[in-house]
Amino acid sequence: MPPITLAFYDTKPYDRDYFGRAANGADFILHHHEFRLTAETVSTAQGADAVCVFVNDRLDRDCLTKLAALGVRLVALRCAGFNNVDRAAAAELRITIVRVPAYSPHAVAEHTVALLMALNRKIHRAYNRVREQNFSLSGLVGFDLHGKTVGIIGTGKIGRVAAQIFRGFGCRVLGYDPHPMDEWAAEHGITYTSVEALLSESDVVSLHLPLTAETHHLLNVASIALMKPGAYLVNTSRGKLVDSAAVIDALKSGHLGGVALDVYEEEEGIFFEDHSGTVLQDDELARLMTFPNVLITAHQAFLTHEALSEITRVTLDSITRFRDGHEPVAERVVA
Ligand code: NAI
């Protein structure tokens, strides 16, 4: 079999490292591009058998039409979410989309808890103070997680792991999901409830659901108003699940006690890059970064050795199987 030529977009050093080691030179020729795949950059896929993309590449109808014209029949998402792909257009153009639905739910769930704990116990502030030889504890009071109520919206693979970790802290855990997992909930002492009850009873609300037309701005002025005064919000799923302007207002009024984000509405073009020498143009992100009770990481919840190894294995296996006419290992994304 001839090697598969793979055009790789939004490449980062860890992608080169993991995919470079796993892609046997006889099986794959990797063309790495550090820019994102969009309708404007798609001509660089000329000659490729497949493209490999990440969360912020933009596979809209225009981009997919141009990909099809270049003869590319496979888009391999090296991530779980697929909200950046026009699935209807891909189906019409007979382009197969595969993703890696589950590489390590533990990576994301553990990062969720790490963010919450760092924010609640002010670790980020304490770290900076101690480096300045400021050993004062003023303003660093947190709360015990034990005994608190945590609401998990979306009890899929990641939400379930997060829920179990919170149970380990001794939290009461509420869940909301249109497809409840009753047996699992009974086994782990988790209570399903309505989204309204979850919002109004939880001290911490954590989002673990996909971004769709229905879930866009699930957390908005009205739903945030239902949350307990002083509650914490954690989002490691997708930025557009949350209306950032509503969050800023709720932080300013003190209604929200803290917000931990690994994703941001307008992260495309900002996250994953070093902008330290430039003026940040996004005023909402800039405002969010000024709050002492907001902690932001730049979409790194997936970034563990185990997750990267699995993403690489499943993606390359899927591409090979597609070339050989078999069902991909990674899940097909259908319209
Ligand atoms: P999953 O597909 O296993 O679970 C998603 C769950 O959300 C399902 O149980 C589904 O029924 C539920 N759901 C759908 N609509 C809902 C709604 N309106 N309200 C409540 N629940 C709803 O997905 P998984 O693997 O648990 O991932 C969850 C999300 O985490 C992904 O959609 C992705 O956006 C995000 N993610 C973020 C990463 C990061 O690095 N920050 C890495 C991987 C995933």
Side-chain angles (χ1 to χ4, degrees):
M1 281 284 185
I4 301 169
T5 302
L6 189 57
F8 216 95
Y9 291 89
D10 209 4
T11 293
K12 297 291 175 277
Y14 51 81
D15 293 315
R16 281 183 196 272
D17 183 14
Y18 279 77
F19 277 87
R21 268 186 284 132
N24 178 347
D27 295 332
F28 292 96
I29 297 168
L30 303 182
H31 289 168
H32 285 288
H33 301 295
E34 283 169 16
F35 49 85
R36 284 174 288 127
L37 178 61
T38 65
E40 286 70 45
T41 64
V42 66
S43 61
T44 55
Q46 174 93 48
D49 300 305
V51 294
C52 184
V53 299
F54 196 51
V55 294
N56 288 326
D57 294 283
R58 207 180 314 128
L59 290 118
D60 53 18
R61 180 174 287 275
D62 192 9
C63 177
L64 289 164
T65 304
K66 289 175 178 164
L67 264 187
L70 292 173
V72 175
R73 291 274 159 256
L74 179 67
V75 172
L77 291 153
R78 54 181 192 280
C79 55
F82 50 87
N83 50 282
N84 52 336
V85 182
D86 184 333
R87 288 180 287 154
E92 279 168 45
L93 293 160
R94 298 181 168 279
I95 293 180
T96 299
I97 312 285
V98 294
R99 64 177 182 133
V100 188
Y103 36 87
S104 172
H106 303 280
V108 184
E110 289 174 16
H111 190 76
T112 303
V113 180
L115 271 182
L116 174 66
M117 290 307 289
L119 180 66
N120 162 28
R121 302 305 300 266
K122 286 56 174 177
I123 304 296
H124 54 311
R125 304 184 67 196
Y127 172 79
N128 285 325
R129 277 191 198 182
V130 169
R131 283 171 65 91
E132 296 288 321
Q133 298 180 41
N134 173 357
F135 301 105
S136 155
L137 300 184
S138 305
L140 300 186
V141 178
F143 57 83
D144 286 8
L145 258 185
H146 182 267
K148 296 293 181 298
T149 300
V150 177
I152 302 285
I153 305 189
T155 56
K157 291 175 286 294
I158 296 168
R160 290 201 300 278
V161 175
Q164 287 169 222
I165 297 173
F166 285 121
R167 286 293 290 148
F169 275 98
C171 297
R172 171 183 176 233
V173 176
L174 302 177
Y176 170 72
D177 195 305
H179 305 287
M181 306 279 284
D182 293 322
E183 229 173 88
W184 163 81
E187 186 186 338
H188 295 282
I190 285 134
T191 309
Y192 278 110
T193 179
S194 66
V195 73
E196 291 79 14
L198 181 149
L199 289 170
S200 62
E201 288 181 39
S202 297
D203 300 292
V204 175
V205 171
S206 192
L207 306 182
H208 300 287
L209 68 161
L211 174 66
T212 62
E214 294 74 50
T215 63
H216 181 264
H217 282 187
L218 180 84
L219 269 280
N220 53 36
V221 172
S223 50
I224 291 172
L226 293 177
M227 290 174 69
K228 262 177 137 171
Y232 276 44
L233 174 65
V234 188
N235 185 10
T236 58
S237 280
R238 283 294 178 269
K240 288 187 195 322
L241 292 170
V242 172
D243 178 348
S244 308
V247 164
I248 290 169
D249 285 346
L251 282 161
K252 282 166 76 176
S253 71
H255 182 64
L256 279 176
V259 175
L261 302 174
D262 186 51
V263 286
Y264 169 64
E265 262 195 280
E266 304 301 334
E267 68 180 55
E268 188 185 324
I270 302 178
F271 281 13
F272 307 117
E273 307 297 336
D274 178 1
H275 294 285
S276 55
T278 60
V279 174
L280 184 58
Q281 297 298 321
D282 187 313
D283 290 350
E284 285 186 346
L285 179 58
R287 183 67 177 102
L288 281 169
M289 284 163 34
T290 65
F291 292 100
N293 51 347
V294 171
L295 185 56
I296 301 174
T297 50
H299 210 135
Q300 75 174 71
F302 72 98
L303 202 63
T304 66
H305 167 68
E306 289 75 7
L308 287 172
S309 305
E310 190 61 4
I311 288 169
T312 306
R313 185 189 70 75
V314 173
T315 304
L316 293 182
D317 280 2
S318 271
I319 294 167
T320 314
R321 290 176 69 81
F322 179 81
R323 191 261 323 258
D324 297 344
H326 302 303
E327 266 299 301
V329 184
E331 186 180 281
R332 250 176 216 270
V333 175
V334 288

